[in-house]
Amino acid sequence: MGVSSIQLLSVLLVCAESTKQTEGSYALKMWSSAEQALREQLIFMSKEIEALRNDQSLMKQKQEDMTQAMQHCTEMQAHADMEVNITSVGNGHIFTLEENDDTDEGFDPCKRYKSLNQDWRATNYTTKNVYCDRSTQWNGWYRLFYRGKSIQMPELCVKMEMCGTRSPLWLVGGHPRKRDGIVTRKVCGHWNSNCCAFKSPPIQVKACSGNYYVYKFVQPLACHLAYCADVNTLICGKCRRNEICTSKDKIKWYCKKSKRRGKYKLSLYI
Ligand SMILES: *[C@@H]1O[C@H](CO)[C@@H](O)[C@H](O)[C@H]1NC(C)=O
Ligand SMILES: *[C@@H]1O[C@H](CO)[C@@H](O)[C@H](O)[C@H]1NC(C)=O
């Protein structure tokens, strides 16, 4: 995972230098929490491009150059954990390099999930009608919502008779990080002061860009058990892209700037 700024820049520079079709204007944008080094590289790069732009002799290059550059970029992409997207616009081309989130082959559950928006699943909901997730035909991946807002499963034992059920189900071992991909986690149901009285079948979990999680729920062993949604994690839905949602005690959650390197997207119009 991850690609250094230098690598990235070299991809971009190669793309910029070998295309040489510099008609029209270009725009250079950066969304970044990356390091100073990247910024410096970018300033250097803008100067390089400026030089290219002013050099009239470079203006009349063949289409072949472009084709080659594209090929080169595509090859580089295979080695990097980045996505290179080249779009032609008029006479110009937009190169976009983006961190590649789709590490799974084929389909990404972060993009294809069903929304589970049921107030009664909330950890602060005292059970009135008793629900049981055994009676649901679970199929595929789910994202939890509370009144339309993104929410997560609790990582701590929940009191009995909450979450619209008798024995609330919580996630053991916490949520994964994005770079963990799809993980398997145990699920426990609380009963009679035993936080794991019911060892429900494990589920798969994945962290997604945008601070939410998807869960591959399965039928619990018995009734009345149901998957919970922790209202304390509602704040996580408000975290920005460069932030992660974290908690020391698993009760109070807050957004924190991500230390992760290389969270950026670059666009270059040549
Ligand atoms: C590439 O970028 C263009 C313009 O930003 C966008 O419309 C297109 O969907 C992108 N393609 C991919 C595969 O991301
Ligand atoms: C549960 O928590 C949410 C979010 O803090 C709040 O809006 C709601 O009123 C609470 N529900 C109960 C029954 O306390």
Side-chain angles (χ1 to χ4, degrees), residues 155-200:
E155 297 186 4
L156 277 185
C157 194
V158 181
K159 278 199 295 183
M160 288 196 298
E161 305 288 341
M162 301 301 275
C163 305
T165 193
R166 297 268 178 251
S167 171
L169 293 176
W170 60 281
L171 192 69
V172 183
H175 287 81
R177 296 161 302 185
K178 253 175 64 182
R179 59 173 172 272
D180 296 330
I182 295 172
V183 301
T184 302
R185 288 283 189 266
K186 287 182 192 154
V187 173
C188 278
H190 177 199
W191 193 251
N192 278 346
S193 69
N194 181 351
C195 280
C196 202
F198 293 99
K199 289 178 179 59
S200 207

Side-chain angles (χ1 to χ4, degrees), residues 9-28:
L9 262 300
S10 66
V11 176
L12 204 55
L13 278 173
V14 166
C15 296
E17 279 179 348
S18 48
T19 55
K20 292 171 187 164
Q21 200 180 22
T22 46
E23 264 184 51
S25 65
Y26 64 89
L28 179 62

Side-chain angles (χ1 to χ4, degrees), residues 112-118 121 138 141-145 148 214 217:
R112 258 199 271 165
Y113 56 78
K114 298 179 190 82
S115 299
L116 217 52
N117 192 3
Q118 293 158 319
R121 290 191 184 276
W138 299 101
W141 291 80
Y142 295 85
R143 177 174 171 188
L144 291 167
F145 289 90
V214 286
F217 290 137

Side-chain angles (χ1 to χ4, degrees), residues 95-138:
F95 292 81
T96 308
L97 287 91
E98 206 166 352
E99 193 178 3
N100 197 351
D101 285 334
D102 304 300
T103 40
D104 312 299
E105 294 109 33
F107 110 113
D108 182 1
C110 287
K111 290 175 186 148
R112 258 199 271 165
Y113 56 78
K114 298 179 190 82
S115 299
L116 217 52
N117 192 3
Q118 293 158 319
D119 287 7
W120 57 263
R121 290 191 184 276
T123 45
N124 67 350
Y125 182 94
T126 311
T127 300
K128 291 165 209 107
N129 299 323
V130 191
Y131 293 93
C132 177
D133 276 346
R134 198 167 165 71
S135 50
T136 303
Q137 290 299 316
W138 299 101

Side-chain angles (χ1 to χ4, degrees), residues 144-146 149-153 215 229-234:
L144 291 167
F145 289 90
Y146 176 78
K149 299 211 171 70
S150 197
I151 190 169
Q152 301 170 195
M153 274 187 79
Y215 307 90
D230 186 354
V231 287
N232 291 328
T233 66
L234 281 168

